[in-house]
Amino acid sequence: MKPPLSSATMPGAQPQARTSTYVSRGLRILAAVIFLAAGAAKLAGVPAMVQPFDQLGLGQWFRIVTGIVEVIGGIAVLVPAAAFLGGLLLSATMVGALLAHSFVIEGSPVPALILLLITAAIAWLHRPGRWAASTGPSPVMPPA
């Protein structure tokens, strides 16, 4: 009787898993740097961050909340066990930014769209159950 195929015995499985790990790590580091910097700028009250929130009309409290969300999300995507939730949080934030830049705030929505794609990819790569079919320990979720 043949042993069942696993990621260790399937041809081509290891390089694909390794590539996925590198892509995930690269996207998470890129997103963390961008969102930690943007969140810190919002919290510091940099004029370039204050002005769009004035145009939005929700008040500066919303800039502070957005900055806090971006810092929390930037930290979360660096932690593999929290990367899914961090990716979702930042994706939702970027949907709001995309809508704001498309309909209310002057400026291009393209940066928000690119960041939405990056954060959605992080959430997708770290979605719960992604590694359930593998026979080894999960590189994303800690053992129960």
Side-chain angles (χ1 to χ4, degrees), residues 13-29 77-78 80 83 121-122 125-126 130-131 137-140:
Q14 283 302 86
Q16 184 180 14
R18 191 174 323 140
T19 301
S20 178
T21 300
Y22 289 143
V23 168
S24 168
R25 194 171 292 151
L27 289 175
R28 290 185 298 123
I29 290 169
V77 295
L78 288 175
I122 292 168
L125 289 170
H126 292 271
R130 176 170 184 242
W131 303 98
S138 169
V140 178

Side-chain angles (χ1 to χ4, degrees), residues 26-142:
L27 289 175
R28 290 185 298 123
I29 290 169
L30 177 64
V33 167
I34 291 169
F35 282 102
L36 288 171
K42 286 177 180 71
L43 293 174
V46 173
M49 296 294 178
V50 171
Q51 188 259 342
F53 284 90
D54 278 340
Q55 286 181 343
L56 197 55
L58 292 175
Q60 292 303 308
W61 68 270
F62 193 64
R63 171 183 54 87
I64 301 294
V65 170
T66 303
I68 292 169
V69 166
E70 288 179 349
V71 168
I72 290 170
I75 293 169
V77 295
L78 288 175
V79 179
F84 171 71
L85 293 176
L88 282 182
L89 178 67
L90 293 173
S91 291
T93 303
M94 287 301 97
V95 168
L98 184 62
L99 293 172
H101 281 281
S102 295
F103 300 111
V104 181
I105 301 172
E106 296 173 5
S108 174
V110 172
L113 177 61
I114 292 169
L115 290 172
L116 171 60
L117 294 174
I118 290 170
T119 56
I122 292 168
W124 178 258
L125 289 170
H126 292 271
R127 67 193 181 276
R130 176 170 184 242
W131 303 98
S134 86
T135 58
S138 169
V140 178
M141 301 299 287

